[in-house]
Amino acid sequence: MQWPSITSKVKKDPVLEAKIDHILGDLSLEEKIGQMIQPEIRHLTPQDVRDFHIGSVLNGGGSVPNGNRYSKAADWLAIADAYYQASMDDSDGYMAIPIMWGTDAVHGVGNIVGATLFPHNIALGATRNTELIKEIGNITATEIAVTGLDWDFSPTVAVARDDRWGRTYESYSEHPELVRDYAGVMVEGLQGEASGQGFLSAYKVISTAKHFIADGGTHNGIDRGDCLADEETLFRVHAAGYYSAIEAGVQSVMASFNSWHGVHMHGHQYLLTRVLKEQMGFDGLVVGDWNGHGFVAGATVINCPQAVNAGLDIFMVPDPEWKQLYKNTLEQVKTGVIPLSRIDDAVRRILRVKLRADLWQRGLPSKRPLAGKDELLGAPEHRAVARQAVRESLVLLKNKNNILPLSPRLNVLVAGDGADNISKQTGGWSVNWQGTGNTMADFPGATTIWMGIDAAVSAAGGKAILSVDGAYDQKPDVAIIVFGEDPYAEMQGDIQHQLLKAGDTRDLELLKRLQSQGIPVVSLFVTGRPMWVNRELNLSDAFMVVWQPGTEGAGVADVIFTGINGELNHPVKGRLSFSWPKRPDQGPLNWGDENYEPLFAYGFGLAYGELDLLKDNLPEEGIALEESSNVLELFNRRPLGAYQVMLEGKNNDRVLLNGNIANVSTLSVSCVDRDVQEDARRVIWNGEGEGLVAISNQNRQVLSSYYESNSSLLFDVKVDSAPEDQAWVRIGCGPSCYSQVEITRELREIVGGGWKTLSVDLICYPDAGTDFGLKRTPEELFALILEPFALVANGALDLTFSHVRIEKSRAQGGCVRLV
């Protein structure tokens, strides 16, 4: 066996093990199975906890108490108390076993408005500061404890080896040793040191190392894909973070969505049991990922004995049909499909973690020491640490003529769509899963990059002007341009190559225009991974990677400006924890590769005053893109680009779907699973009047070339309940300005038939009217598009849509047809 044996600092306690034996001996089979089921808060009531003896619960990204994203700690505590009381109710003769609540706090407590959000892991990797990482874990545990939750699904210890992966920013580094250095100290920050009295105290939380294993090593960087690496690469590269995490005493490990040579990890008995539990000595619990067991060969979300037999201890099953999984698993034990010994091992591990965390003595969540202390969420001392993390994570790639640091006494133009954009700055796992659509209202007390620049310059007597498009009245002394990637999270952040914003040249045009006017340009690059930015580098006098800095964007200004008298405020310290590509199609690119030729190597990072040898003539031959592609993707697993899902009810009440559920007066929309997690949107009209759900953009889009190219609008749809009245597919150009084609008959024809694809020829859309008596021809309409796709109904209807696109040369006549 090549895998190492790891010695945890948390030793087995004979007294505690005897308690486990006692409890286990008194539990019925029904109680044992309940401990292994983890529903989501949207589908679990306190009565369910009593009836099914549920052992744990989770809230997904963006899932919040009562559907209110602005819930206070008291709202979280009320639900936590109700669950806890239900789990400790032994009036029915069953044993009281405290429930535990898990959450994804991957860069701070991302579900709580007002919490401190740190830079994402890729940025923390650039700091090379393990003590800072430990303190971030400590603060995260404190802010979780305010809400009464017990368990953090963190840290992510993936070693990302292909930067096209949409979770690259959740990885500390491409280098296994850096990940190993960080994983253990992060665990200690969250749980406390195993040898100390504070270990898993009421001030700490249970930690999770995830995702086991090789989530960062899939072929072509495809999320939830297949890792084709050999076993030596698994234990040398991808297991590195687990070694230090287990040694530090991590109490849970999360199974990964990916496969290894075609075998899904949730059903991989060799890796989960023989390697992780037996050889590596992990004695905590293995929890699944979001319905991840449903991907195991031969299994479904509600029927998966394979995962239990492979070594999974807790099913994470946010599906509303979790009760059927409970019943099926119970029956499978009774019939011998799952050995009782495997159930006992799983429950023993769950009880061990709960006893180590002393959940019986912690009592009601609302009565714990930090419970309800809202002042600790985003506390000044916490924000100070986050701001330090921002400062230490910045990586300087170019500094022509040592233009940085800047004097704050200058006349400074600040431009670019990232300058004052908190959503772009915080990235994924921030208030909602994908991090899109957020505003400053979602981050009270936060500072954007612009706010930090403005404060620094104003305090020194300089002048700072914010102009996103770079327009100005008085020529500035310097222009600071903030641009980069838009928010994304798993799956939906996967890319085909590392060309920044393929086909979108606005950032380049802004840089060119300012440079041509003789203005020195400082570029601040917001990103979750290395990207091919040769053109942007050539157009910049200085180029600094600021990653996704979280809520404390002012930390950037701390570094890029001197003090009032020219003294250095803070040095630039960051060093790349990922290699930077020369070409957009160069990946995968990693330190130690046989033919290692990056633009900037692993560990690169200029210091102030250091000689910069980079010229302005980097090769600019990227991937050739058509000006107008044959397919315009609008929704593929999520709204793409600047598009968002918008709802409008009969009362003209409009909301954006920024979490995983939204409601207006006449309809509701929720994120549901089709092929992978939350890749489709279910829409239910309640029959009380007309309602609309749209793929919407805040800026008008010119889609004339598609209208002129014999194109069709296509979307995948599944109808569960036929339209009670009429239904349409609409294209909109503003309030009361739209054109629509009726699809009532087609929807009725496919009720209960599973997924179908509907095609609507664009040429069939009639003139668009407005409330002001004006009409727009289709040619005018497609030059003013705000909503290229909307579904409208004026009666009850239940359908789910996915994969919305416009394709050229698809029109065949007949207007609406099944394809």
Side-chain angles (χ1 to χ4, degrees), residues 654 700 732-738 784 786-787:
R654 300 170 58 128
R700 296 191 185 278
C733 52
S736 301
C737 173
Y738 59 84
L784 297 167
L786 288 173
E787 296 164 2

Side-chain angles (χ1 to χ4, degrees), residues 369-389:
L370 301 180
K373 294 190 175 183
D374 286 304
E375 66 274 13
L376 291 177
L377 296 174
E381 58 270 28
H382 297 174
R383 292 185 183 277
V385 173
R387 189 161 173 166
Q388 175 191 350

Side-chain angles (χ1 to χ4, degrees), residues 570-629:
H570 295 277
V572 57
K573 290 184 174 182
R575 290 181 288 140
L576 293 176
S577 59
F578 284 82
S579 305
W580 207 274
K582 282 184 176 180
R583 305 184 314 276
D585 57 352
Q586 195 175 5
L589 173 68
N590 296 291
W591 179 90
D593 288 350
E594 185 175 350
N595 298 306
Y596 183 62
E597 295 182 357
L599 179 61
F600 300 108
Y602 171 88
F604 180 85
L606 292 171
Y608 284 151
E610 186 176 351
L611 180 63
D612 180 8
L613 300 177
L614 192 69
K615 305 299 182 183
D616 297 334
N617 59 352
L618 293 173
E620 296 191 2
E621 294 76 25
I623 294 172
L625 295 171
E626 299 178 17
E627 289 188 11
S628 176
S629 62

Side-chain angles (χ1 to χ4, degrees), residues 639-685:
L640 297 177
Y643 290 106
Q644 296 176 281
V645 175
M646 185 272 292
L647 294 70
E648 181 176 328
K650 68 172 182 178
N651 300 327
N652 201 32
D653 43 337
R654 300 170 58 128
V655 299
L656 292 174
L657 180 64
N658 288 331
N660 45 31
I661 189 167
N663 301 274
V664 290
S665 55
T666 48
L667 73 155
S668 65
V669 179
S670 57
C671 302
V672 296
D673 301 353
R674 177 189 180 183
D675 298 317
V676 293
Q677 182 181 336
E678 297 190 2
D679 63 340
R681 301 294 181 264
R682 183 182 183 187
V683 193
I684 301 175
W685 284 264

